[in-house]
Amino acid sequence: GGIVWYRNWLYVPQTGSGFRVFDLNQIIELPTDRDDNFIGRNSDGQLSAFNYRYVIPEVARYYSCPTCCCVRFSYVSLVNDNAYPRLVSGEFTEDDNKTGRFFQWQLDPETGLLKEAGYTGLIDAETVTFSNLKGLQGVAWQNARYWTTANYDEFSFNHTGWLYSGRTSSSGASDIVAHSSIGGV
């Protein structure tokens, strides 16, 4: 569901739980002359990665709170407009009773990591936007306007995909202003 590179961090969404964070400053080169069939540290203390030459270690994870809104992290993108840097994650849904939401997470411009909410150690979504759409596959955002793609819509005949453009209101609801087919097979 996408990947964001901000400073030396790679943010990768993990659908059911949050973000995995990898540090590009810690890329490790491994020998490729061994017959590796696993990943991790072997019995000799050597690192293995299925004979891949480079690995990027996971250095952190952000987990969603199990009691708050059942957030799904299906995809992520970076917003780096005039305001401040932030991640936007979104939800893919197929359930007829649920539509996808977009969550904006503020990044600390000094560290490049998610900005904590006060002294609690928690990360609060800055905004939540209700898209009223399902089957969303990704989002790009600038100021109060976003563009999102979907692989499902009540108008999707012949397996076409859709590109939607919308803007948010002060209530956090979404106002879809346009959509068009982007093709299909």
Side-chain angles (χ1 to χ4, degrees), residues 48-94:
S48 297
F50 294 112
N51 222 21
Y52 286 103
R53 186 169 180 180
Y54 297 98
V55 295
I56 304 171
E58 180 179 336
V59 295
R61 284 190 188 188
Y62 292 102
Y63 291 99
S64 63
C65 174
T67 59
C68 48
C69 303
C70 302
V71 178
R72 292 176 50 91
F73 294 80
S74 301
Y75 48 86
V76 66
S77 63
L78 176 66
V79 179
N80 202 5
D81 58 19
N82 295 333
Y84 48 84
R86 56 202 181 278
L87 298 180
V88 178
S89 65
E91 299 175 312
F92 174 86
T93 61
E94 292 179 304

Side-chain angles (χ1 to χ4, degrees), residues 15-180:
T15 298
S17 59
F19 294 117
R20 300 173 84 159
V21 184
F22 299 83
D23 187 351
L24 293 172
N25 287 339
Q26 296 186 39
I27 296 174
I28 302 168
E29 184 175 5
L30 300 174
T32 57
D33 58 351
R34 296 191 303 244
D35 183 24
D36 287 337
N37 60 3
F38 68 97
I39 190 166
R41 195 171 298 278
N42 67 19
S43 60
D44 297 334
Q46 296 177 329
L47 291 174
S48 297
F50 294 112
N51 222 21
Y52 286 103
R53 186 169 180 180
Y54 297 98
V55 295
I56 304 171
E58 180 179 336
V59 295
R61 284 190 188 188
Y62 292 102
Y63 291 99
S64 63
C65 174
T67 59
C68 48
C69 303
C70 302
V71 178
R72 292 176 50 91
F73 294 80
S74 301
Y75 48 86
V76 66
S77 63
L78 176 66
V79 179
N80 202 5
D81 58 19
N82 295 333
Y84 48 84
R86 56 202 181 278
L87 298 180
V88 178
S89 65
E91 299 175 312
F92 174 86
T93 61
E94 292 179 304
D95 186 335
D96 285 337
N97 299 318
K98 283 185 161 181
T99 58
R101 300 171 289 183
F102 305 122
F103 298 84
Q104 291 195 28
W105 310 90
Q106 191 171 351
L107 290 165
D108 184 325
E110 291 181 27
T111 66
L113 297 170
L114 292 178
K115 192 168 184 178
E116 292 184 10
Y119 62 89
T120 64
L122 297 175
I123 311 295
D124 291 335
E126 183 178 45
T127 63
V128 179
T129 302
F130 296 85
S131 73
N132 299 319
L133 300 167
K134 56 186 170 183
L136 301 179
Q137 295 287 341
V139 65
W141 204 288
Q142 184 174 18
N143 301 322
R145 179 166 295 284
Y146 65 86
W147 296 264
T148 185
T149 58
N151 70 349
Y152 175 84
D153 188 291
E154 60 269 19
F155 306 109
S156 288
F157 304 109
N158 302 321
H159 305 287
T160 59
W162 293 86
L163 174 63
Y164 293 92
S165 175
R167 62 178 168 258
T168 57
S169 67
S170 59
S171 68
S174 175
D175 175 23
I176 301 297
V177 295
H179 71 270
S180 62

